Amino acid sequence: MSERAITAEVGRSIAALDAAQWDALAGPDNPFVSHAFLSLLEASGSVGRGTGWNPAPITIRGEDGRLVAALPAYLKSHSQGEYVFDHSWAHAWENAGGHYYPKLQISVPFTPATGPRLLLADPEWAPAILSAAENLTDQNGLSSVHATFIEPAQLPLFEQAGWLMRSDTQFHWHDDGYGDFEGFLGSLTSRKRKDLRKERARAQEGVEIVHLTGDAITEAHWDAFWIFYQDTGARKWGHPYLTREAFSLMGRTMADRILLILAQVDGHPIAGALNFIGSDTLYGRYWGCTVDKPFLHFELCYYQAIDAALARGLRRVEAGAQGGHKMARGYAPELTWSAHYIPDPGFRRAVADFLKRERAAVAADREMLTEMLPFRKGERQA
């Protein structure tokens, strides 16, 4: 590849790119970087005009015209829906007389789930595609590029390119060979084991819990979940990120990669949790309810997710951003990573100094949290 000039292209739509070629780079493991998921965000109006998320996928093609490298990139006019917070950076840069927005974001919109951000036919394409993102930033006077929730295997590629690294903490559940939920409970301290059994009993009292995937998910189910999602989204973010059409498109284009868990009373859904199925991970994404029932949130989002992962042979559950209360339910603190390109030397030095101190604090906090996990001595998750 060093013997010829490499040309990168910036598009206006991921949907316009060949789905098979994109998915060949993305791989089968992570549902969120699939062409189907990223395209439905565009088709539903969840990203695009008026949202502050303008698709700008960066691609490189081989001599045969097929994609060999791609970035799921977006021009952002705000910092909402990212879950890696840079508002203080924006304020500092604008107070200094600069324009922080638009910035370039390499991520899956509204999705704080770890996955590949460099979609590559060969890792040797990484320097070229990252250089393309840098050139786009430099040539257009953008303040910065941010790649968020990067899978650990790709971190060295960003580090070798000289990007600044940032860490944070999420809470994930790992299967340590439990076999079933009782096996998992056996790894906890006696008090926590009793607490979880009581919580599950109270949550399940008087409700039917169903797991739906594939063709079993109907538009009626999406209608019910839309109500749940709107309620939670309005309380957490001010307005929901996804449109109603996004859920219908999920059902039409990738239902086999979705697990919808509903709590019903007399056949009527009162709460639900939406999960996506990866090759070794169950990703919990959205939850909501119309009836406030004690511990039902924990049951649908955490305990039922563990049940589902064990039944499907999945090794992990990622239950989304934030939530230290997950630790008491067996979800361990785990580092997440982002990478940042900042062309202005002074601004870069200031951010680099901040990140150095922040990483130390995050590492110390994670070590402290790990000591608080509810596992019996010798059985704590790493």
Side-chain angles (χ1 to χ4, degrees):
M1 63 184 68
S2 61
E3 297 178 354
R4 68 177 182 89
I6 298 172
T7 300
E9 299 175 348
V10 182
R12 295 184 177 181
S13 168
I14 291 172
L17 298 171
D18 184 271
Q21 292 182 33
W22 181 279
D23 286 340
L25 300 180
D29 295 341
N30 187 290
F32 302 116
V33 292
S34 69
H35 191 272
F37 185 80
L38 295 171
S39 295
L40 73 83
L41 295 180
E42 296 177 10
S44 67
S46 300
V47 302
R49 184 184 298 272
T51 69
W53 287 84
N54 293 309
I58 303 173
T59 58
I60 296 175
R61 297 180 183 274
E63 292 180 341
D64 62 357
R66 298 179 64 83
L67 295 178
V68 295
L71 298 177
Y74 298 83
L75 286 171
K76 292 293 304 299
S77 61
H78 54 66
S79 291
Q80 302 303 314
E82 298 168 11
Y83 301 92
V84 175
F85 303 108
D86 63 348
H87 300 89
S88 62
W89 302 2
H91 292 156
W93 186 236
E94 290 174 359
N95 287 339
H99 296 285
Y100 194 74
Y101 305 105
K103 62 178 182 176
L104 190 64
Q105 190 78 19
I106 301 169
S107 68
V108 178
F110 331 123
T111 308
T114 295
R117 296 298 175 259
L118 304 175
L119 311 185
L120 308 169
D122 188 299
E124 291 187 6
W125 286 107
I129 197 73
L130 286 174
S131 179
E134 295 170 4
N135 290 339
L136 176 64
T137 302
D138 297 343
Q139 293 168 8
N140 290 276
L142 305 182
S143 68
S144 49
V145 191
H146 310 266
T148 50
F149 297 98
I150 304 166
E151 67 179 14
Q154 291 192 339
L155 294 177
L157 301 176
F158 287 91
E159 291 177 310
Q160 290 160 16
W163 290 36
L164 302 177
M165 308 307 294
R166 189 178 192 184
S167 61
D168 202 352
T169 303
Q170 281 188 351
F171 298 91
H172 301 166
W173 179 86
H174 301 261
D175 180 12
D176 287 343
Y178 299 128
D180 56 22
F181 198 88
E182 281 299 312
F184 161 62
L185 287 179
S187 70
L188 305 180
T189 64
S190 175
R191 182 175 64 84
K192 285 298 181 182
R193 191 161 55 245
K194 292 177 181 177
D195 289 345
L196 265 62
R197 286 195 173 114
K198 289 179 180 178
E199 286 186 2
R200 297 205 75 177
R202 288 195 62 186
Q204 293 178 10
E205 184 178 4
V207 302
E208 176 192 17
I209 296 176
V210 296
H211 290 209
L212 304 171
T213 191
D215 293 340
I217 305 175
T218 68
E219 280 297 302
H221 294 127
W222 288 128
D223 285 339
F225 192 79
W226 173 244
I227 295 172
F228 304 149
Y229 172 74
Q230 282 186 299
D231 177 66
T232 301
R235 284 185 283 109
K236 282 190 174 183
W237 317 303
H239 69 276
Y241 293 132
L242 299 177
T243 65
R244 171 63 181 83
E245 179 65 11
F247 294 100
S248 291
L249 290 173
M250 290 176 196
R252 293 173 201 159
T253 63
M254 54 187 309
D256 289 342
R257 305 189 78 174
I258 290 173
L259 173 63
L260 183 60
I261 303 175
L262 296 176
Q264 301 181 153
V265 175
D266 297 327
H268 179 71
I270 63 166
L274 179 61
N275 303 268
F276 287 78
I277 304 166
S279 63
D280 68 352
T281 303
L282 186 69
Y283 300 93
R285 286 304 302 117
Y286 300 109
W287 134 273
C289 63
T290 54
V291 174
D292 185 13
K293 182 174 174 57
F295 305 114
L296 189 57
H297 174 223
F298 301 151
E299 176 65 24
L300 294 193
C301 295
Y302 308 142
Y303 305 143
Q304 289 290 328
I306 292 173
D307 281 337
L310 289 167
R312 293 173 176 270
L314 304 176
R315 301 293 299 173
R316 292 157 42 91
V317 177
E318 288 194 20
Q322 304 174 340
H325 57 276
K326 297 170 186 171
M327 284 179 34
R329 281 86 201 170
Y331 287 70
E334 185 166 315
L335 291 179
T336 58
W337 291 93
S338 58
H340 308 267
Y341 171 72
I342 298 175
D344 182 87
F347 190 26
R348 176 187 170 88
R349 283 194 298 271
V351 171
D353 180 66
F354 168 80
L355 292 179
K356 182 178 179 180
R357 290 180 280 111
E358 184 187 54
R359 282 195 301 272
V362 168
D365 187 56
R366 179 174 181 260
E367 184 175 352
M368 177 192 69
L369 291 173
T370 299
E371 292 299 317
M372 299 167 59
L373 287 169
F375 296 96
R376 292 186 293 137
K377 186 175 182 181
E379 297 197 32
R380 289 178 177 172
Q381 298 185 8

